Amino acid sequence: MHFQWYPGHMTKARRQMQEDIKVIDVVIELVDARMPYSSKNPDIDDLARNKSRIILLNKSDMADQEKTALWKNYYEKKGFFTALVNSKTGSGVKAVNDVIQKACREKLERDRKRGILNRPIRAMIVGIPNVGKSTFINSFAGKACTKTGNKPGVTKGKQWIKLNKNVELLDTPGILWPKFEDQAVGMRIAFIGSINDDILNPRELALKLIEFLLKEYPGALAGRYGMEERENAPDTLIEIAKKRACLLKGGEYDYDKAAGFVLDDFRNGRLGRITLEIPEMISGAETALDGKEQNRTEENPSEAVSEP
Ligand code: G4P
């Protein structure tokens, strides 16, 4: 399996974001707590240069708590303000207000010295597809109504959601495309479903996930499917197909169907709290606020083969 693409409409979305960011004080970036590195697009470090930065580890309900603590510490050391959230239930969402105030303290102080008082902080949400941007905005803005389902590249007049007297949120999230040259990163993005499944081989993808789970989370599959985990991924998939009675017309096992169960269960957190990467795995390749960021791949719109 080879992952490499950059849909044309993302170039337009990036340009729009560049425009929007000009009037923004703080960029709130959502990452998936199950893969806080791979779900973070390094472009944003460039786009949001000189802005206050917050990283929200969303979907923290599905991530391994110990590893989430490592990631929180990791990004804080890089100079980001961080918080753990579960946008689906709203847990941790309220506290984001305080984090915004902390992240903008210097700006507020500067404003005050220049005699600018009571100007609300302007915030923007960004993140790759499926990371939970719409869900977070709905939860964060509460009763303040939010339009969801905004498509990248669709330019409307800027609309602001007044969260309180101190903070205004741009109602359209900035959508970033996952970016990588490391195929392992592409694989993880596919595991969480941020890449259109149509262009992937689900069985191959599920086998990779099973291989990871057997090694890093032994017992997770056995717990879910009530079977015995085997030494390798293909044999384990056979056990899952048997247990779930995934059968084709001729009576043969339907491994694609079983693969679908595994991917779906992982994406919905039914295999338990699982995190796919830890900070040590990516040392040397990370992005940072210290000006040493490196791009993970060349941007190449001509390689566009699919969109989310
Ligand atoms: P996006 O705007 O960034 O593309 O993502 P969106 O909000 O549409 O969320 C993508 C999926 O992730 C949704 O599930 C949403 O419910 C789920 N989600 C968002 N935040 C969290 C979280 O903190 N925890 C968990 N467990 N799930 C979260 P869906 O299956 O597409 O729809 P549905 O289940 O809401 O019907």
Side-chain angles (χ1 to χ4, degrees):
M1 248 185 301
H2 189 79
F3 308 95
Q4 175 86 49
W5 63 113
Y6 194 91
H9 71 250
M10 290 312 298
T11 310
K12 210 171 161 191
R14 191 183 194 280
R15 227 175 287 135
Q16 178 64 43
M17 201 181 302
Q18 219 159 2
E19 225 17 68
D20 289 342
I21 275 181
K22 285 182 190 161
V23 296
I24 293 295
D25 301 308
V26 56
V27 174
I28 304 174
E29 184 177 5
L30 260 74
V31 298
D32 190 312
R34 295 169 299 173
M35 37 177 262
Y37 170 69
S38 298
S39 59
K40 183 178 180 335
N41 180 312
D43 273 356
I44 194 64
D45 294 323
D46 200 27
L47 284 164
R49 206 174 280 274
N50 305 324
K51 304 288 174 185
S52 299
R53 302 286 302 280
I54 296 174
I55 288 189
L56 298 182
L57 294 143
N58 192 38
K59 308 200 184 187
S60 57
D61 54 304
M62 293 200 275
D64 183 322
Q65 281 156 300
E66 267 176 41
K67 291 179 182 165
T68 301
L70 295 179
W71 280 111
K72 190 169 172 355
N73 187 35
Y74 171 85
Y75 279 123
E76 280 171 3
K77 278 198 174 143
K78 299 260 168 228
F80 294 92
F81 288 82
T82 66
L84 312 186
V85 284
N86 173 352
S87 301
K88 210 165 176 171
T89 61
S91 158
V93 170
K94 247 191 179 158
V96 174
N97 247 319
D98 289 343
V99 183
I100 292 177
Q101 299 299 326
K102 273 190 204 139
C104 294
R105 192 168 285 157
E106 278 180 25
K107 183 213 142 358
L108 293 170
E109 190 55 28
R110 266 199 319 271
D111 277 1
R112 202 184 54 77
K113 282 190 180 144
R114 287 157 61 202
I116 306 167
L117 299 173
N118 305 324
R119 185 164 79 75
I121 293 164
R122 290 190 149 183
M124 179 183 184
I125 309 293
V126 301
I128 68 167
N130 208 33
V131 80
K133 296 178 294 301
S134 308
T135 313
F136 174 76
I137 291 176
N138 282 332
S139 173
F140 194 41
K143 277 190 210 110
C145 107
T146 313
K147 288 186 209 77
T148 54
N150 285 310
K151 296 283 181 289
V154 179
T155 313
K156 291 182 222 125
K158 280 187 196 43
Q159 290 191 9
W160 297 90
I161 302 163
K162 204 166 168 50
L163 293 176
N164 52 48
K165 70 176 183 5
N166 301 320
V167 184
E168 285 179 358
L169 184 69
L170 187 65
D171 87 332
T172 315
I175 304 177
L176 294 157
W177 190 246
K179 200 174 184 197
F180 48 86
E181 64 186 11
D182 179 352
Q183 293 300 294
V185 170
M187 187 81 68
R188 287 178 215 131
I189 291 166
F191 286 160
I192 62 162
S194 283
I195 287 174
N196 192 340
D197 272 351
D198 297 348
I199 63 158
L200 301 170
N201 177 332
R203 194 194 304 186
E204 210 179 318
L205 193 63
L207 285 172
K208 290 281 182 196
L209 179 60
I210 292 170
E211 198 180 300
F212 168 84
L213 292 171
L214 290 176
K215 187 161 170 271
E216 300 294 334
Y217 291 93
L221 291 163
R224 171 71 186 158
Y225 302 110
M227 37 54 100
E228 218 171 285
E229 289 175 2
R230 296 303 180 96
E231 269 184 22
N232 62 54
D235 288 348
T236 303
L237 185 65
I238 292 172
E239 292 304 316
I240 295 169
K242 282 183 190 165
K243 205 72 193 184
R244 282 288 150 119
C246 300
L247 291 170
L248 292 167
K249 268 188 190 144
E252 277 185 39
Y253 287 111
D254 184 345
Y255 298 118
D256 287 338
K257 192 172 177 187
F261 279 135
V262 175
L263 291 173
D264 200 50
D265 285 342
F266 169 71
R267 287 171 186 168
N268 290 298
R270 289 189 289 261
L271 298 179
R273 284 172 168 265
I274 287 160
T275 296
L276 298 169
E277 55 194 16
I278 50 171
E280 289 97 277
M281 282 163 69
I282 52 101
S283 64
E286 73 274 34
T287 58
L289 290 182
D290 56 14
K292 290 189 215 131
E293 70 261 80
Q294 305 164 13
N295 282 349
R296 278 175 280 181
T297 187
E298 293 297 315
E299 195 171 290
N300 189 352
S302 65
E303 302 222 6
V305 296
S306 181
E307 57 189 67

